[in-house]
Amino acid sequence: MEMENNETQCFEVHLTEHEQIINEELNDIINNYDQFKQTINEQKENPQNQLLIEQINQWETNSIEIIQKKAQNCRDIVIKSSQTFINDIENKLNDLNEKIKEIHKESELNESNLNYLKNQLIEMTETFKNPPNISIEHDTQSFINEISIISSKKPKFNKWKQNAITAAGGNRRGQKLNLVNYPFGIFIDKKKNVFIADSHNHRIVEWKCNAKEGHIIAGGNGKGNQLDQLNRPTDVIYDQQNHSIIIADYGNRRVIQNQQILINNIDCWGLAIDKQGFLYVSNWRKNEVRRWKMGEYDNEGIVVAGGNAKGYQLSQLNFPTFIFVDEEQSVYVSDYNNDRVVKWRKDAKEGRIVAGGNGQGENLNQLFAPEGVIVDDLGRIYVADCENHRIMRWREGKEEGEIVVGGNGIENELNGPMGLSFDDEGNLYVADCDNYQIKKFEIIL
């Protein structure tokens, strides 16, 4: 009996110890649960999460703004394309009407004139029946699909006559007013007058449309650094609103306007003005492009392309020369020593190669020392492929370009082309530097 009591007492002791151990383990579980719950609550209130979410929200807002701007730009292109098409037809009708009045006035009504009028009217009618077919092209290379306007029909300003007209200069160099000496940058105004950076004559000359010689509008007083002198100017812009010229005075390291220094101590080469009133200047030594508000030059400007030392990375440039700025303030830069053209969107930290970039060469996916660059209303990029003696056209995102004019050797049509420009009719002007003239390639309508 005593043994049974001892066993009972021993069992009860073990049972008590076991219950105590279980309770302790339960308490540990409860404590771990409470700690884990507290960790979750703290994580929910983590300020880092909120910061990341705010960054995502900002990205969303910025992306929407970019899309809206691009969409509006595409709308504008569609509307402008339609308006241009109708305006062209109306202009031709007006010309035909003037011709009819002239025939009546001069009493020159004959079968030949009748056939001419009839053919002109038939041609205009056919053109009107076949307007440009506008469609959408998607760029799937970016996370947000970018859209741009393309035409399934060969658009206007597609081809040019290969035999050029001499718009300025001659077949030799010289200082006379009917000659130029290594023309670099050019600008064509609304009246088809040609402004030329006549580099080695140290002057800017204007050739009126169809003129036999030009007249000096800046420099022309010998090489020098006085306000009435220039030293190898590389580019010129005619500010049509203010009726003044802006000059990249390369040799004097300055940008001037009407014999006044706008920007000093700058290794300038190319110039551009946008519709918002900003002046852009490429600096070949610092490998950058800077922007100034027109009339506000008492500061260092803002870097809008390059500025990260000489190099071939997308954030760098190597001897930038001519530049072009589109309506969205994207900057196109001829990256001379990298044999490519790079597009820098507004506020971008790096550019995107839109022409060349496949090493130096003469293949259709290559450039050799690019100079002048312009972009048409459809976003197609035209490049003076200087050492290949040709003008190339590229569509952004495409692997290859196409030859517009030249490209058959230096003795054919072009020899070291530099500046490029279009007039309002789409005729293409080229500063044919080593042939000492400005050539006009007429559009084939």
Side-chain angles (χ1 to χ4, degrees):
M1 187 68 172
E2 184 177 351
M3 182 177 295
E4 290 179 355
N5 289 335
N6 289 337
E7 289 177 353
T8 301
Q9 289 176 356
C10 183
F11 176 77
E12 289 176 351
V13 169
H14 284 298
L15 181 61
T16 302
E17 291 177 351
H18 182 67
E19 289 177 349
Q20 184 176 354
I21 291 172
I22 290 176
N23 286 330
E24 288 176 354
E25 290 181 354
L26 177 61
N27 289 332
D28 288 340
I29 292 173
I30 292 172
N31 288 334
N32 290 337
Y33 171 86
D34 290 339
Q35 290 178 5
F36 186 52
K37 181 68 174 177
Q38 183 178 354
T39 300
I40 291 176
N41 291 334
E42 290 175 353
Q43 187 67 30
K44 288 168 62 177
E45 299 175 358
N46 188 354
Q48 179 65 24
N49 286 352
Q50 187 61 34
L51 179 62
L52 292 174
I53 290 173
E54 289 177 0
Q55 291 178 2
I56 293 171
N57 292 341
Q58 187 61 51
W59 170 84
E60 180 184 29
T61 300
N62 293 342
S63 298
I64 290 172
E65 289 178 358
I66 292 171
I67 292 171
Q68 288 175 334
K69 288 180 180 179
K70 185 65 180 180
Q72 187 57 47
N73 179 253
C74 289
R75 293 187 195 101
D76 292 342
I77 291 174
V78 171
I79 294 170
K80 186 175 181 179
S81 175
S82 177
Q83 290 175 342
T84 301
F85 176 71
I86 297 299
N87 288 341
D88 287 344
I89 297 295
E90 288 181 338
N91 288 337
K92 289 181 179 179
L93 277 173
N94 291 334
D95 291 342
L96 189 62
N97 186 42
E98 292 298 321
K99 184 66 176 178
I100 292 172
K101 290 179 180 178
E102 181 182 335
I103 291 173
H104 275 298
K105 183 178 180 181
E106 302 296 332
S107 300
E108 292 181 352
L109 186 59
N110 54 48
E111 188 174 348
S112 176
N113 285 335
L114 283 175
N115 287 333
Y116 170 80
L117 297 175
K118 186 187 298 182
N119 290 334
Q120 287 291 305
L121 193 56
I122 291 173
E123 181 180 335
M124 280 186 281
T125 303
E126 289 300 316
T127 302
F128 184 73
K129 289 180 179 178
N130 294 279
N133 185 16
I134 298 298
S135 62
I136 300 293
E137 180 183 58
H138 289 266
D139 179 2
T140 58
Q141 293 182 352
S142 56
F143 175 71
I144 301 174
N145 287 350
E146 182 181 349
I147 63 170
S148 56
I149 301 298
I150 62 169
S151 176
S152 60
K153 182 180 179 180
K154 289 185 178 180
K156 194 179 177 184
F157 309 161
N158 192 54
K159 290 184 178 181
W160 292 263
K161 295 179 181 178
Q162 295 300 298
N163 295 323
I165 298 171
T166 299
N171 295 315
R172 58 187 177 88
R173 58 181 173 174
Q175 294 182 343
K176 293 182 178 180
L177 290 178
N178 64 339
L179 300 173
V180 293
N181 190 358
Y182 291 107
F184 277 40
I186 56 175
F187 184 93
I188 316 299
D189 70 7
K190 294 179 180 180
K191 297 180 180 179
K192 298 184 178 61
N193 301 319
V194 185
F195 297 80
I196 308 167
D198 191 3
S199 179
H200 285 43
N201 279 330
H202 314 293
R203 67 191 186 188
I204 306 297
V205 291
E206 178 188 2
W207 285 61
K208 299 292 186 181
C209 182
N210 299 322
K212 299 301 181 183
E213 63 179 32
H215 68 278
I216 300 170
I217 57 176
N221 297 303
K223 176 181 176 181
N225 61 6
Q226 301 299 314
L227 289 179
D228 63 347
Q229 293 178 306
L230 298 172
N231 184 353
R232 289 181 295 163
T234 50
D235 206 2
V236 58
I237 293 176
Y238 177 60
D239 185 355
Q240 300 183 83
Q241 289 185 340
N242 299 317
H243 303 289
S244 63
I245 58 170
I246 302 174
I247 305 165
D249 193 6
Y250 167 92
N252 286 321
R253 302 183 62 245
R254 65 190 184 184
V255 177
I256 63 175
Q257 181 181 31
N258 298 342
Q259 295 191 3
Q260 292 184 344
I261 298 175
L262 300 183
I263 307 166
N264 216 344
N265 300 318
I266 181 171
D267 292 294
C268 52
W269 188 286
L271 303 172
I273 295 179
D274 68 19
K275 292 187 176 180
Q276 284 73 32
F278 289 93
L279 173 67
Y280 299 73
V281 185
S282 64
N283 186 319
W284 62 269
R285 191 181 297 276
K286 288 188 176 181
N287 299 291
E288 65 184 21
V289 178
R290 285 183 182 260
R291 182 184 73 189
W292 283 263
K293 180 71 175 178
M294 293 281 282
E296 300 176 6
Y297 303 107
D298 56 346
N299 56 72
E300 295 183 352
I302 299 173
V303 176
V304 293
N308 297 301
K310 178 172 66 178
Y312 59 87
Q313 301 297 328
L314 290 178
S315 62
Q316 297 176 305
L317 299 169
N318 189 350
F319 205 110
T321 57
F322 291 97
I323 55 178
F324 180 89
V325 181
D326 66 17
E327 293 186 352
E328 296 177 340
Q329 293 184 304
S330 293
V331 183
Y332 297 76
V333 186
S334 277
D335 196 5
Y336 183 88
N337 281 341
N338 282 327
D339 301 296
R340 67 189 186 185
V341 174
V342 187
K343 176 183 179 181
W344 291 65
R345 294 186 182 276
K346 184 182 179 182
D347 301 326
K349 300 302 181 184
E350 63 179 31
R352 176 182 180 183
I353 299 171
V354 293
N358 296 298
Q360 188 178 98
E362 61 181 12
N363 295 325
L364 291 179
N365 68 340
Q366 294 177 305
L367 296 171
F368 186 179
E371 291 283 5
V373 57
I374 51 177
V375 181
D376 68 15
D377 290 340
L378 296 178
R380 297 174 300 185
I381 304 135
Y382 297 77
V383 187
D385 193 6
C386 185
E387 294 300 324
N388 282 325
H389 315 292
R390 65 190 184 185
I391 309 302
M392 298 284 290
R393 176 171 60 200
W394 294 67
R395 182 174 291 168
E396 185 174 345
K398 299 300 181 181
E399 292 296 325
E400 293 185 347
E402 58 181 323
I403 299 173
V404 172
V405 293
N408 296 306
I410 63 173
E411 294 183 358
N412 185 333
E413 191 57 57
L414 296 174
N415 188 354
M418 296 289 284
L420 295 179
S421 189
F422 286 122
D423 65 21
D424 287 347
E425 293 180 357
N427 300 308
L428 176 64
Y429 294 74
V430 181
D432 195 8
C433 186
D434 294 338
N435 280 329
Y436 317 116
Q437 55 187 277
I438 309 303
K439 287 183 174 172
K440 174 184 177 181
F441 294 89
E442 293 184 308
I443 186 70
I444 300 174
L445 298 178

